[in-house]
Amino acid sequence: MRRFVRDNALALCFLLLFLLSLAGQSAAGAAAFSEEQVAGGGSPVTWADYVTSSAFAVDVAENWQSEYLQFFLYILITVWLVQRGSPESKKRGEEGLESDAEQKVGRHAEPGSPAWAAADGWRRTVFSHSLGIAMGLLFLLSWLAQSVAGLAAYNNEQLSRLEDPVGWGGYVTSADFWNRTLQNWQSEFLAVASMVLLAIFLRERGSPQSKRVGDPHSRTSSSG
């Protein structure tokens, strides 16, 4: 068990932080939602009622889809685009999918390479893009979850104002949906751009996301 924890400490740490922040969001969200209900003449809700409500589901899903979109685009874009001096980028001249020899696929696969890396046809193609495919599917699923939960929450508000509910198509083309969506997307894109640029000039000693502290800013032999 101790070895398992040590070997998977990074993933376990972030999973724990995820669970703690989700629990904190649910508690704070339930309190805020109850305050809104009381202010509107209604009754406060329990924590259990809130975490099973569309209001909580849409708040969670809209954050998930923006995060997965960020990683999906970053994985794909960094194949083709570089940023000189950033450890978040490949070297100049290495843009593109690289050769089979560089990627160790097909006849260049090593004895310990994954089976699908050595395979021909669609299996190699799928495995070669499996990370991007997985992130893209997770984005689409979380986006769909956001749209369904957001529709339910939006229609609850519509009914409380004695207005007609809308269908799924009407909601995903509405200002409410895109306001929720784009406010998350823009923050993710800004965060990625900040990381790419700040990592050129700033350092974090010992971090694989940073160049070595003494590396010259102009050096590109170990970064983009």
Side-chain angles (χ1 to χ4, degrees):
M1 177 60 72
R2 186 179 302 173
R3 181 176 179 179
F4 173 82
V5 171
R6 184 181 65 238
D7 290 346
N8 299 279
L10 184 59
L12 292 173
C13 176
F14 275 96
L15 285 173
L16 178 60
L17 290 172
F18 161 71
L19 292 174
L20 290 174
S21 58
L22 184 63
Q25 177 190 354
S26 70
F33 190 77
S34 288
E35 289 177 0
E36 292 178 4
Q37 292 291 100
V38 172
S43 302
V45 299
T46 65
W47 177 85
D49 287 337
Y50 175 69
V51 297
T52 55
S53 70
S54 57
F56 178 68
V58 69
D59 287 343
V60 172
E62 71 184 29
N63 286 304
W64 288 8
Q65 60 90 5
S66 64
E67 294 293 342
Y68 284 120
L69 176 64
Q70 172 192 189
F71 282 111
F72 171 65
L73 291 178
Y74 190 65
I75 290 166
L76 294 185
I77 291 173
T78 51
V79 173
W80 302 100
L81 303 182
V82 299
Q83 176 63 52
R84 180 175 177 177
S86 176
E88 296 294 311
S89 170
K90 296 195 293 187
K91 302 175 190 176
R92 286 183 300 169
E94 293 184 352
E95 298 92 329
L97 299 177
E98 302 178 359
S99 67
D100 287 354
E102 290 172 317
Q103 287 292 315
K104 299 180 180 180
V105 298
R107 62 187 180 86
H108 302 284
E110 298 179 344
S113 296
W116 281 29
D120 293 323
W122 67 270
R123 289 183 297 169
R124 187 199 305 175
T125 300
V126 169
F127 189 70
S128 295
H129 301 283
S130 54
L131 181 58
I133 291 171
M135 287 296 179
L137 287 175
L138 287 169
F139 161 67
L140 290 175
L141 289 173
S142 54
W143 181 90
L144 180 61
Q146 177 200 350
S147 69
V148 173
L151 173 63
Y154 183 79
N155 280 337
N156 284 338
E157 293 181 5
Q158 290 288 96
L159 292 173
S160 69
R161 295 195 295 264
L162 302 180
E163 297 179 3
D164 293 332
V166 301
W168 182 82
Y171 177 66
V172 296
T173 56
S174 69
D176 180 82
F177 177 78
W178 285 104
N179 176 55
R180 284 180 171 273
T181 299
L182 292 174
Q183 67 179 313
N184 284 285
W185 287 8
Q186 53 88 13
S187 63
E188 301 299 339
F189 297 151
L190 177 62
V192 172
S194 299
M195 179 66 180
V196 169
L197 293 174
L198 291 175
I200 299 174
F201 304 105
L202 305 181
R203 308 287 191 267
E204 184 56 48
R205 184 168 181 166
S207 173
Q209 302 303 312
S210 170
K211 292 187 284 189
R212 290 185 292 270
V213 176
D215 280 347
H217 295 314
S218 59
R219 181 179 297 167
T220 60
S221 60
S222 61
S223 60

